[in-house]
Structures are given as C-alpha cells and as structure tokens.
C-alpha cells in the first residue's frame, strides 16, 4: 500500500477545498439557511408536526442529506475530472499508485469534505430549531456511509464525463429530483397510495429515512432496510469503480 | 545486468481502429541516452505512454529494469520519470506543492532539502511559492522536469523536451541530460531537432508509421552515412579522372566540370590538404571549392522517405 500517495492525493484535494472555501462551505450554509426560512418558518408554521416532531426539526436530516449527496458528488466528480481535463492525470497514471489508492485519496477527501459540511449544516440548523440525536452513533454511521457512497458515485461521474456539462447533468437531473421526492421535506407516508409505492423505488428514501430515524426514532421504512440499502449502494459503487480500473475505462487510451 | 528497458513485440491499436505501433522491439541500455526520432504522428508519444503506464498496449511486453510493466507495475513505475510533451500543469497550485505532490505519489516523504536541490538545479527556487499559472512557458517546462526528477528515477523519458524552448534553455537542458547521465540515469528522449540527437544521444532510433526503422549507435550511423564531400569547380572540364588520382575516391560530374572527393572526416588518412596538393600536381586548376557533410537530418530524411 502506497500510503504516501494516498496522503498526497488527499492533502492535495483538501488544499483545493481551502482555495474554494466559498463554494464548498459558504454557499451550502447560505442555501441551508434559506431552506429554513422558506420551509421551516413560512411553510412549517402551517404544518403542526410530523410523527410527533416539529416540522422545522423534521426537515433537518433531509436537508443534511440533500447537501451531502450534492456536495459529495460534485466534489468527487470535479476532483477526478479536472486532472483528466487538464491532462495532469498522466502523473497519477504513471506513478506507482494502485486504483484502490487513487480512489481512497480522491473519494476519501471528497467524503471528508462532505462530512465536515454535514456537521456545519447541522450546526447551522441548530441556530434555527432545537436538535435532538436519539442514536448519535448511527447518525454518524449514516452520515459517513452516505458521504463515502456518493463520493464514489461522484468519482464514477467524473470518470464518465467528457465535458463540464456532463458533470452537472447527473446531480441536476437525477440526484436533486430524487432527493426532493425522497422524503427530505416530508414523510412518504403523507403521500397517497400509488405515489408512496413509487417513492419506494427512490433510493434516497432509504437514506433519508434511516438518517432521520437516528435523530428522532421515526422512520418511513424499517431502519434495517435503510441500512441494508445504504450498504447495497456502497457495494454497487465499489463494483463500478473496480470495473473502471480493471478495464482502464476512460482513464487509459 | 539486463538492459534497463526491454520492449518486445509492442503494438497499439487505438479505440478508433488506428494502429499507431506495429510490433516494436527495442532495448535501451543502462545509462545511455537514447534518442527516438520520427516525424509527427510516428508513434513516439504512444510508445512512451505504454512504457509509463498511460496507454495500454494491444500486445507485447515491456520490462523496466527486469520488472514487467503489467505484473510488476509498481516496481517498474517507481523507476521511471516522465516529462510529457504537452505542458500540462495544475494552474492554481504553487510550484512547491506540485513538486511535493509528485514525490508523494511515488511513495516518498517530502524531503525539503532534496526538493530545494531539484528546484535550484532547474532555476525554479525563486519561484517556489508562485502559482504555476504565473510561470512562463519555459519555466513550466522546467517545472515538469523538476516533477519528473523529484523521485530520483533511474529512467527518464523526455518527450520533446526542447519544443518551444529558447536556445539558452535548450543548452541548459542538454547540460542537465549529460549531468543525469553521469549519475547513471538512463535518458530516453524524443525530438524533432536532429541537432539535439546529434549533440546528446549515444544511440538513435528512428520510428516511422509505427515501425522502428532503424536503431544504431549514433557514431556508427554518422560514420556509415556521414560521408563528407569536397567539390572542386574546374577551370577546364576533364574527360576522365587522371591516373595519378586513381587512389582517391573521386566522382566526376557528367559534364566533367566538377570533381568531387568523398572522404570521412574521422579518417586520419583522408586529409584534404594532401588531396589538394595532388590535384595541383596533376595540373588541375579549379575556380571554387566547397565541402558538404551529411547530417543526421539527411540520414533521417532519407530513411523516412524511403518508406512510404
Ligand atoms: N487517443 C488516441 N486515439 C486515436 N489515435 C491516436 C490517439 N493518440 C494518438 N493517436 C494517433 O496515433 C499516432 C501516433 O501518435 P503519437 O502521439 O504517438 O505520435 P508522435 O510520434 O508522438 O507525434 P509527434 O511528433 O507529433 O508528437 C497518430 O497518428 C495519432 O493521431
Ligand atoms: Mg509526440
């Protein structure tokens, strides 16, 4: 294991985040605050509570998930796409660095940034509504697992993309809609029957539900199912990454 | 000891269906400077890419210091430094950070003293805290060389190191290469500048249309093809070469107006002074004279032209 190399990539990526601190930290904090103003204060005042949890607090896990998914994907995809775009990827390909080490460096840094961001959003949320963690260890587990999984998804997108617009397409057209539909701001139990069944095909439902359970003990789907699904997404991402490196897909000509 | 780079039967067909390399066999000896010459699109960068792990060969094997680049890739790559043809850099990083990054990729700890010596050797020490985008093109080229040397490779690939580089820097580069040779580093470079190969290389390989046309010691090549010619413009045309000059390699032009002496400058026996005395003794007068020498460039052009 080339630990120095993992560290070098990781440090390099973290340094990039420090250079773009506005983009990685400030803007999500501002948008989270806006969500609280809109959903928490304006709409929340008309919704009493969901499953015994005040609406403002109810949306916190969903909000964290929303940013976590978006930022993990955009961070990781940009991190690997940029060297491909500029050509500096030659350095990594010609260095004694294994695929696993490359992924650990890039996805690891992206996941770290996402987790930091998630914590910052939680702290921001704490300014608006009372927070409550029923299962803090599980909360941390869901946070970290999701950050890792979607950093891997971002890594895959960054390798698949052959233009900057493609980097945006997946987050914009797939992830954001799925997050909104996936019960970030409501319980899918509030949906009428056919929609509710349909929602169960949305993977984000399982992530948000499990995460919310770790806060308030309420869930749309069984927490074991949530955990199994989270693990499944992680396994799928790992398999795709493994395939990419095995075939040299889009990395080597 | 085995050769440092052993390339056997390497072919490359790109996804587009284009075959860039056709069964290349080449060995590069330990410690030598090997120049790979060839016209645009000949396959030089592709070949280097395969050895360095950037391009996947369609067939064939490559060993670096005995380590197969596929089965022992980690060991093989750790021995190689690569300066790519294109100036590819991360514009936003500082010089120091990008060089440290490369060293890290090769599994080595950042060693400030070593980094300093590499940056000083390439006159980049003053620029260590500058962002790469503020460097000039020549500085970027040197930075790429610094990055390629920072992990102390045993084999250095320089893909057109002096493209777009001014005369001063080119000579610095040549000096650097000979310094590396003294340290025992094997250098493989590609170039379009024949004088560069002539100046630096121990051996020369010519690649054209994905095929290795020739590999030869530069000195042999120059001797074999590098004949000098002394031409005399005669006052009065000759019908034939006089008997007294028959021991010399001479050519008489069709109209008898020009006499050409072919000789090898490295051959002590071929002195032109003596020849000119003989010419005078034979009563031949001339109005003008000139010498020409076939350069590596002529050799190269004739080799590449010969094959369509
Ligand atoms: N990724 C690719 N896909 C398809 N064809 C390619 C690719 N890369 C290179 N080629 C083709 O392979 C051939 C060899 O290219 P290569 O870059 O190895 O040439 P070269 O000898 O380095 O040329 P130059 O002196 O211009 O740098 C060219 O015809 C080029 O168009
Ligand atoms: Mg080239």
């Amino acid at each position: 294991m080339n630990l120095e190399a993992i560290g070098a990539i990781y440090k390099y990526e973290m340094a990039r985040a420090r250079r773009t601190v506005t983009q990685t930290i400030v803007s999500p904090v501002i948008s989270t605050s806006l969500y609280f103003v809109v959903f928490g204060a304006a709409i929340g005042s008309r919704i009493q509570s969901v499953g015994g949890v005040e609406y403002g607090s109810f949306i916190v896990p969903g909000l964290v998930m929303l940013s976590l998914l978006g930022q993990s994907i955009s961070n990781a995809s940009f991190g690997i796409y940029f060297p491909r775009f500029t050509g500096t990827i030659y350095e990594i390909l010609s260095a004694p660095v294994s695929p696993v080490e490359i992924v650990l460096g890039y996805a690891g840094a992206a996941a770290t940034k996402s987790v930091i961001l998630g914590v910052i959003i939680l702290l921001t949320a704490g300014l608006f509504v009372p927070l409550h963690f029923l299962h803090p260890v599980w909360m941390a587990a869901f946070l970290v697992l999701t950050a890792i999984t979607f950093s891997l998804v971002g890594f895959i997108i960054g390798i698949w993309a052959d233009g900057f617009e493609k980097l945006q397409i997946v987050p914009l057209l797939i992830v954001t809609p799925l997050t909104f539909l996936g019960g970030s701001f409501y319980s899918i139990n509030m949906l009428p029957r056919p929609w509710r069944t349909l929602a169960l095909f949305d993977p984000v439902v399982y992530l948000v539900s499990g995460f919310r359970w770790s806060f308030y003990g309420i869930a749309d789907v069984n927490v074991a199912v949530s955990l199994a699904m989270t693990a499944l997404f992680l396994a799928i991402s790992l398999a795709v990454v493994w395939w990419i490196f095995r075939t040299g897909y889009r990395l080597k000509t | 000891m085995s050769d440092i780079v052993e390339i056997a039967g390497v072919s490359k067909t790109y996804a587009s269906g284009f075959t860039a390399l056709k069964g290349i066999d080449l060995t590069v000896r330990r410690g030598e400077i090997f120049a790979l010459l060839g016209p645009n699109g000949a396959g030089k960068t592709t070949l280097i890419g395969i050895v360095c792990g950037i391009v996947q060969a369609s067939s064939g094997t490559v060993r670096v210091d005995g380590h197969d680049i596929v089965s022992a890739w980690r060991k093989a790559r750790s021995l190689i430094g690569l300066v790519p043809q294109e100036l590819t850099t991360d514009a936003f990083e500082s010089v120091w950070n990008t060089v440290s990054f490369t060293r890290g990729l090769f599994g080595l700890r950042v060693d400030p003293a070593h980094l300093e010596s590499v940056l000083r050797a390439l006159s980049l020490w003053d620029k260590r805290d500058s962002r790469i985008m503020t460097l000039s093109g020549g500085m970027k080229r040197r930075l790429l060389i610094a990055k390629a040397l920072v992990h102390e490779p045993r084999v250095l690939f320089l893909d057109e190191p002096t493209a777009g580089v001014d005369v001063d820097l080119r000579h610095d580069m040549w000096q650097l290469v000979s310094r590396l040779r003294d340290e025992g580093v094997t250098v493989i470079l590609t170039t379009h500048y024949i004088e560069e190969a002539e100046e630096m290389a121990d051996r020369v390989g010519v690649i054209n249309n994905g095929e290795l046309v020739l590999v030869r010691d530069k000195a042999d090549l120059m001797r074999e093809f590098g004949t000098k010619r002394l031409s005399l413009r005669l006052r009065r045309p000759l019908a034939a070469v006089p008997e007294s000059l028959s021991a010399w390699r001479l050519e008489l032009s069709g109209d008898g107006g020009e006499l050409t002496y072919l000789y090898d400058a490295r051959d002590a026996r071929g002195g032109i002074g003596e020849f000119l005395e003989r010419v005078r003794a034979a009563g031949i007068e001339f109005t003008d004279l000139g010498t020409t020498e076939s350069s590596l460039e002529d050799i190269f052009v004739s080799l590449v032209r010969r094959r369509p």
Side-chain angles (χ1 to χ4, degrees):
Chain A
M1 200 57 139
N2 187 346
L3 293 177
E4 289 291 335
I6 301 172
I9 296 175
Y10 186 89
K11 262 184 10 209
Y12 197 84
E13 282 297 293
M14 294 308 274
R16 197 167 60 78
R18 278 195 291 279
R19 284 201 303 264
T20 54
V21 72
T22 329
Q23 188 198 321
T24 36
I25 302 290
V26 178
S27 68
V29 167
I30 292 176
S31 61
T32 307
S33 305
L34 287 176
Y35 277 119
F36 272 109
V37 173
V38 175
F39 285 97
I43 299 174
S45 59
R46 290 164 192 272
I47 303 173
Q48 294 314 313
S49 66
V50 183
V53 180
E54 196 196 320
Y55 186 68
S57 302
F58 177 84
I59 64 170
V60 172
L63 270 179
V64 174
M65 275 293 163
L66 185 66
S67 295
L68 201 64
L69 299 192
Q71 288 299 311
S72 299
I73 290 180
S74 74
N75 256 318
S77 63
F78 197 79
I80 189 71
Y81 180 74
F82 195 65
R84 285 182 57 221
F85 174 75
T86 59
T88 52
I89 189 83
Y90 85 85
E91 253 202 294
I92 289 161
L93 294 178
S94 62
V97 189
S98 73
V100 173
E101 290 151 4
I102 296 175
V103 173
L104 282 176
Y106 278 105
T112 307
K113 285 183 264 184
S114 302
V115 169
I116 293 172
L117 178 79
V119 171
I120 290 176
I121 290 176
L122 278 179
L123 294 176
T124 313
L127 300 176
F128 292 90
V129 292
L131 288 182
H132 183 68
F133 308 112
L134 208 55
H135 310 286
V137 175
W138 282 111
M139 191 209 80
F142 273 113
L143 192 70
V144 171
L145 275 179
T146 309
I148 292 173
T149 304
F150 284 83
S151 296
L152 289 173
V153 172
F155 188 87
I156 294 164
I157 294 171
I159 283 178
W160 162 79
D162 50 16
F164 278 99
E165 67 286 359
K166 278 202 181 167
L167 284 185
Q168 312 288 350
I169 281 178
V170 175
L172 221 60
L173 258 53
I174 300 177
V175 178
T176 308
L178 286 183
T179 320
F180 274 96
L181 295 173
S184 300
F185 300 108
Y186 56 89
S187 162
I188 61 164
N189 293 324
M190 292 156 85
L191 294 173
R193 191 96 200 120
W195 292 104
R196 202 178 131 197
T197 313
L198 202 66
L200 290 175
F201 287 96
D202 180 348
V204 180
V205 164
Y206 302 92
L207 302 172
V208 172
S209 168
F211 197 45
R212 188 176 288 133
W213 170 84
S214 69
F215 281 67
Y216 309 120
I218 54 167
D220 289 348
V221 290
N222 189 309
V223 67
V225 176
S226 282
L227 197 61
M229 289 301 250
T230 310
L232 178 69
F233 301 147
L234 181 60
I236 293 173
S237 309
L238 283 172
V240 174
V241 168
W242 177 80
W243 175 83
I244 285 174
F245 279 108
R246 204 180 57 93
T247 58
Y249 172 77
R250 294 238 172 149
L251 275 173
K252 298 190 181 193
T253 45
Chain B
M1 264 199 299
S2 62
D3 288 311
I4 190 105
V5 179
E6 299 161 282
I7 299 170
V10 165
S11 298
K12 173 64 188 178
T13 302
Y14 279 108
S16 62
F18 181 82
T19 300
L21 292 176
K22 301 162 190 163
I24 301 282
D25 294 298
L26 171 67
T27 52
V28 177
R29 298 173 195 148
R30 208 169 286 273
E32 76 175 342
I33 297 180
F34 189 90
L36 201 53
L37 295 174
N40 285 130
K44 303 179 294 292
T45 301
T46 303
L47 185 60
I48 289 179
I50 288 173
V51 179
C52 296
I54 297 164
V55 178
Q56 282 178 319
S58 307
S59 63
T61 57
V62 179
R63 289 157 166 282
V64 179
D65 201 15
H67 306 287
D68 185 272
I69 59 159
V70 177
S71 59
W73 59 273
R74 209 190 274 272
K75 191 80 192 91
R77 284 187 207 166
S78 68
L79 299 169
I80 297 176
L82 167 65
V83 181
Q85 181 171 1
E86 309 286 336
L87 285 174
T88 47
T89 49
D90 182 350
F92 304 104
E93 256 319 327
S94 75
V95 166
W96 181 270
N97 284 350
T98 193
V99 177
S100 314
F101 174 67
T102 309
R103 196 171 156 87
L105 285 182
F106 281 82
L108 303 171
R109 273 178 191 291
V110 173
D111 171 355
H114 178 68
L115 247 61
E116 177 173 346
S117 77
V118 170
L119 289 179
R120 280 193 191 283
L122 288 151
S123 320
L124 285 170
W125 180 243
D126 296 337
K127 294 282 176 186
R128 61 189 177 279
D129 295 320
S130 305
R131 282 186 169 201
I132 296 171
M133 60 186 166
T134 66
L135 301 184
S136 74
M139 291 173 187
K140 283 184 191 150
R141 179 75 61 187
R142 288 196 305 247
L143 176 62
L144 289 182
I145 298 175
K147 279 160 77 77
L149 291 177
V150 75
H151 64 281
E152 297 154 71
R154 301 311 299 156
V155 186
L156 179 66
F157 286 92
L158 295 167
D159 199 353
E160 314 227 359
T162 53
V165 154
D166 71 15
V167 180
D168 273 355
L169 184 51
R170 201 184 303 176
H171 283 98
D172 287 353
M173 212 84 88
W174 293 356
Q175 272 177 4
L176 176 80
V177 168
S178 68
R179 229 175 24 242
L180 288 170
R181 193 229 315 254
D182 295 342
E183 290 166 16
V185 178
T186 306
V187 180
I188 297 159
L189 57 96
T190 74
T191 178
H192 286 136
Y193 299 111
I194 313 288
E195 58 165 330
E196 200 157 277
E198 233 171 295
E199 177 78 19
M200 293 198 283
D202 299 313
R203 283 200 307 151
V204 176
V206 177
I207 189 168
N208 189 35
N209 276 327
E211 285 174 288
L212 206 54
V213 182
L214 153 155
V215 178
R216 206 69 65 81
D217 271 12
K218 184 189 66 186
D220 289 350
L221 197 63
M222 299 294 288
R223 200 171 306 126
E224 187 174 330
F225 295 90
T227 315
K228 281 194 141 196
R229 306 165 75 89
L230 172 68
S231 299
L232 303 179
R233 185 108 281 267
L234 305 180
R235 189 175 295 278
R236 284 176 300 276
L238 287 174
V241 176
E243 191 60 28
S244 62
L245 294 175
S246 61
W248 308 77
R249 257 174 89 197
L250 296 177
E251 280 172 5
L252 193 59
S253 65
D255 63 359
E258 188 170 276
L259 185 65
T260 303
Y261 167 39
L262 293 89
Y263 66 102
D264 185 339
R266 276 160 282 259
D267 190 349
R269 213 186 49 77
I272 58 171
E274 193 190 340
F275 169 70
L276 288 176
E277 268 170 38
R278 291 295 183 88
V279 167
R280 204 119 52 96
I284 300 170
E285 289 178 48
F286 52 90
T287 56
D288 196 10
L289 89 179
T291 63
T292 52
E293 178 175 13
S294 59
S295 64
L296 203 48
E297 180 142 18
D298 300 328
I299 301 166
F300 171 71
V301 167
S302 71
L303 280 169
V304 169
R305 289 275 159 74
R306 208 184 297 159
R307 336 225 154 181

